[in-house]
Amino acid sequence: MTRPATHIFRLLKWGRTLAKYGALRGIESDPNTPTPVKRLARLARLGTFQPAEPDYASAFRAIGPAAIKLGQTLATRPDLVGEEAAHNLLSLQDDLPPVPFAEIEASMAASFGQPLDTLFQSIDPEPVGAASIAQVHRAVTTEGKQVAIKVLRPGIREQFAKDIQTYEWAAAHLEALGGEASRLRPRLVIANFKRWTLSELDLRREAASASELAESMKGIHGYRVPEIDWDRTNGRVLTVEWVEGIKISKTGELIARGHDLPDLAQRLVIAFLTQAISGGFFHADMHQGNLFVEDDGTIVAIDFGIMGRIDRRARVWLAEILYGLTTGDYYRVAEIHFEAQYVPSYHSVDEFATALRAVGEPMRGKPVSELSVGQMLDGLFAITRDFDMQTQPHLLLLQKTMVMVEGIATQLNPEINMWDTSAPYVRSWIRDELGPEAAVADRIKTDTETLFRLPGLIRRLEEQFPPKGGAPEPPPLPDLELMWERRSREGRGWLGYLLAAALGAGAVIGASTLGWIA
């Protein structure tokens, strides 16, 4: 177990790096920051020269790979880090200088347990991308197929494990301070961050996620997932088909190739809603570098290290919230927050509905160039404190991805309105999933499953209460108090003392007879 002194040393070292970029200024000035945290921040910045404008993204990048991933997570939490920091962290690019190919080659050969020339005809030593966790090389298999190989950086798992231990330690102590620190639930934030990164650090999990998403999106026109080469994939190496396409961020090239940008924007939004609301399993790292457009207009997604899941009940709530915001039914949206226990019951549903109206009304019917989902989320974060609404970690990835998708859709079509684009899809899903036919179908399904479980329930009851055998039932026996039970109840009486003396005398006589006592 890592000693507290080690955690404090790491925090101070990271704090000094943050201070050099002015990233501790907001922590010190925030009235909600606990006093011990302010003291630690002041200690960390001693002797440093801070710039006029904080640069949070550069600070996290300077600290290292785990901090880059943490910074990207915190970019979705303006309630936790402040709006200025969250906006700056959105620019945090996950790219680092590549590892020399000789090290990558050795790591790949060791992971496969065989020479690489038995698997690949050639591998380009120059990476096409190098991020905090892995880097990607183009290659040709022995069968002549063009592929992309993603390889973990050597030693990255061990580095992440150490850093996350300190994140957990710091979060536990921060939450124990109570008040605002407790409401924001930093321990759960780090727990989710740990789960996401551990998944990213096992490339078999990423391959499985890509395969699962490909299955769920089979019937969706104009969106696909690259095929996995399972024979050349393990925990440290992932091999997928090479994607020939244009990055979705290169709008000039897309226009030159004749692509319809507003159509691309709409299809991207619908693809995201299909994943999140219909399937409950979505690509949670939809930034511009992970989306390509093929010649026929198909959007191809890559990099499935971070995936989000939402259970059906939460998806129903989410759909109703989105639909309520698009139609202006703020009272129903407020009711859902109380039904989901996102807002404590001692608050007023009517007052919460009014607060939601203040957030939702300004953006209805306007293009995203004027108002956006990101701004709406900022507004929602602002009212959560007033209504003691705790952070919902299972929705953090969804919020992050919504902001990403909105940003890309806006770049493709500045006039797009996320609500107008989402409303028909959400309305159709609610009708199919919550309408009368769906309610009857759900009831039939539930009752049938219950009926099929009855035989097993009866068998378990018989095991717990077996049937009577051939012998007659014994008569009831009287309850009698045992001697030691009475002694423990009343204390040691004269009988106990006589018994103890007799036993002691017997022990002495026996020991003398055996010669143990001279």
Side-chain angles (χ1 to χ4, degrees):
M1 182 179 292
T2 306
R3 295 178 300 170
T6 302
H7 292 310
I8 293 172
F9 174 77
R10 288 175 187 163
L11 291 170
L12 286 173
K13 183 174 69 172
W14 297 338
R16 288 193 69 76
T17 302
L18 291 169
K20 290 176 184 176
Y21 291 90
L24 293 181
R25 193 177 297 129
I27 293 176
E28 291 188 56
S29 61
D30 191 333
N32 293 308
T33 302
T35 302
V37 177
K38 289 185 177 182
R39 289 173 183 159
L40 192 64
R42 292 191 192 105
L43 181 63
R45 69 170 170 80
L46 281 177
T48 61
F49 296 95
Q50 301 185 57
E53 294 295 328
D55 188 353
Y56 302 93
S58 297
F60 277 81
R61 193 174 187 277
I63 291 172
I68 291 173
K69 289 295 181 185
L70 180 61
Q72 291 177 327
T73 302
L74 294 177
T76 65
R77 295 297 309 276
D79 61 327
L80 190 62
V81 298
E83 291 186 16
E84 179 189 2
H87 180 73
N88 182 269
L89 287 171
L90 285 173
S91 67
L92 181 57
Q93 296 298 311
D94 188 6
D95 57 347
L96 288 175
V99 176
F101 183 67
E103 295 181 34
I104 291 294
E105 193 174 27
S107 176
M108 288 177 61
S111 67
F112 285 118
Q114 58 183 304
L116 293 183
D117 57 13
T118 63
L119 300 169
F120 303 97
Q121 283 185 22
S122 62
I123 303 175
D124 188 346
E126 287 297 319
V128 295
S132 57
I133 285 180
Q135 60 191 56
V136 179
H137 293 260
R138 187 170 185 171
V140 180
T141 67
T142 50
E143 295 85 8
K145 186 177 179 180
Q146 296 279 337
V147 293
I149 309 173
K150 184 175 182 178
V151 189
L152 289 185
R153 286 175 174 266
I156 195 65
R157 287 178 174 173
E158 296 75 16
Q159 181 62 49
F160 263 71
K162 289 194 300 183
D163 289 354
I164 288 174
Q165 278 186 352
T166 299
Y167 296 162
E168 290 175 321
W169 186 88
H173 284 77
L174 180 62
E175 192 163 313
L177 296 174
E180 183 70 1
S182 176
R183 187 186 72 83
L184 295 174
R185 303 164 85 179
R187 294 184 69 186
L188 273 176
V189 173
I190 298 301
N192 279 284
F193 170 74
K194 180 179 181 180
R195 179 167 55 83
W196 302 333
T197 52
L198 289 181
S199 177
E200 281 194 89
L201 291 168
D202 183 350
L203 296 184
R204 287 169 300 194
R205 295 272 295 277
E206 180 174 341
S209 295
S211 176
E212 183 178 349
L213 185 63
E215 282 187 13
S216 68
M217 296 293 286
K218 243 177 204 175
I220 305 303
H221 171 71
Y223 183 96
R224 76 177 188 91
V225 174
E227 184 181 347
I228 304 297
D229 186 337
W230 287 101
D231 293 333
R232 294 172 175 84
T233 294
N234 57 46
R236 292 183 177 272
V237 180
L238 168 63
T239 304
V240 301
E241 68 167 297
W242 181 260
V243 176
E244 289 288 356
I246 304 170
K247 277 190 178 182
I248 205 166
S249 59
K250 297 181 178 179
T251 53
E253 291 186 32
L254 292 173
I255 293 172
R257 292 286 184 94
H259 293 294
D260 184 342
L261 299 193
D263 177 67
L264 282 175
Q266 182 164 358
R267 282 195 285 117
L268 179 65
V269 173
I270 297 302
F272 164 67
L273 291 172
T274 303
Q275 295 173 37
I277 295 180
S278 293
F281 183 64
F282 61 94
H283 186 197
D285 202 11
M286 280 199 201
H287 62 71
Q288 295 175 340
N290 286 342
L291 294 168
F292 292 82
V293 180
E294 294 180 315
D295 287 341
D296 64 354
T298 299
I299 299 172
V300 184
I302 63 169
D303 195 354
F304 304 94
I306 305 177
M307 304 296 292
R309 285 193 188 274
I310 316 174
D311 63 29
R312 189 179 185 282
R313 185 174 62 170
R315 281 185 278 142
V316 170
W317 286 330
L318 172 65
E320 286 203 80
I321 288 171
L322 289 175
Y323 188 64
L325 289 173
T326 60
T327 58
D329 190 354
Y330 300 108
Y331 189 81
R332 178 56 189 150
V333 175
E335 282 185 323
I336 294 166
H337 278 77
F338 281 78
E339 290 171 13
Q341 298 181 1
Y342 294 159
V343 177
S345 59
Y346 54 77
H347 282 289
S348 165
V349 178
D350 295 286
E351 289 182 7
F352 190 64
T354 301
L356 288 171
R357 180 179 293 274
V359 174
E361 277 299 299
M363 63 175 294
R364 291 184 62 206
K366 294 188 178 180
V368 78
S369 57
E370 297 180 31
L371 285 167
S372 69
V373 173
Q375 287 176 306
M376 185 274 294
L377 289 175
D378 289 345
L380 287 177
F381 282 136
I383 66 173
T384 56
R385 183 178 293 114
D386 296 335
F387 289 89
D388 302 315
M389 182 176 166
Q390 286 192 318
T391 299
Q392 304 302 321
H394 66 287
L395 297 179
L396 291 179
L397 275 180
L398 180 71
Q399 294 166 355
K400 167 193 170 185
T401 311
M402 284 178 70
V403 173
M404 283 184 175
V405 170
E406 180 195 46
I408 299 171
T410 306
Q411 188 176 27
L412 294 169
N413 178 15
E415 296 302 312
I416 192 173
N417 180 280
M418 287 285 283
W419 298 123
D420 292 344
T421 305
S422 305
Y425 176 86
V426 175
R427 187 186 304 116
S428 173
W429 189 85
I430 289 175
R431 184 181 61 246
D432 293 342
E433 295 294 321
L434 304 180
E437 299 91 343
V440 172
D442 279 349
R443 184 58 186 266
I444 292 173
K445 179 175 179 289
T446 303
D447 290 351
T448 303
E449 289 174 348
T450 302
L451 186 63
F452 284 145
R453 287 199 301 268
L454 280 177
L457 177 62
I458 293 171
R459 282 194 296 272
R460 290 195 298 274
L461 283 172
E462 286 184 336
E463 290 171 2
Q464 188 70 25
F465 305 101
K468 298 175 182 178
E473 186 175 351
L477 301 174
D479 290 331
L480 298 174
E481 187 176 48
L482 301 176
M483 182 176 65
W484 48 82
E485 291 176 339
R486 182 178 180 183
R487 189 166 67 247
S488 64
R489 181 171 57 84
E490 298 180 353
R492 180 175 293 175
W494 62 270
L495 182 61
Y497 288 113
L498 287 178
L499 182 61
L503 290 173
V508 172
I509 293 170
S512 299
T513 304
L514 294 172
W516 293 353
I517 300 177

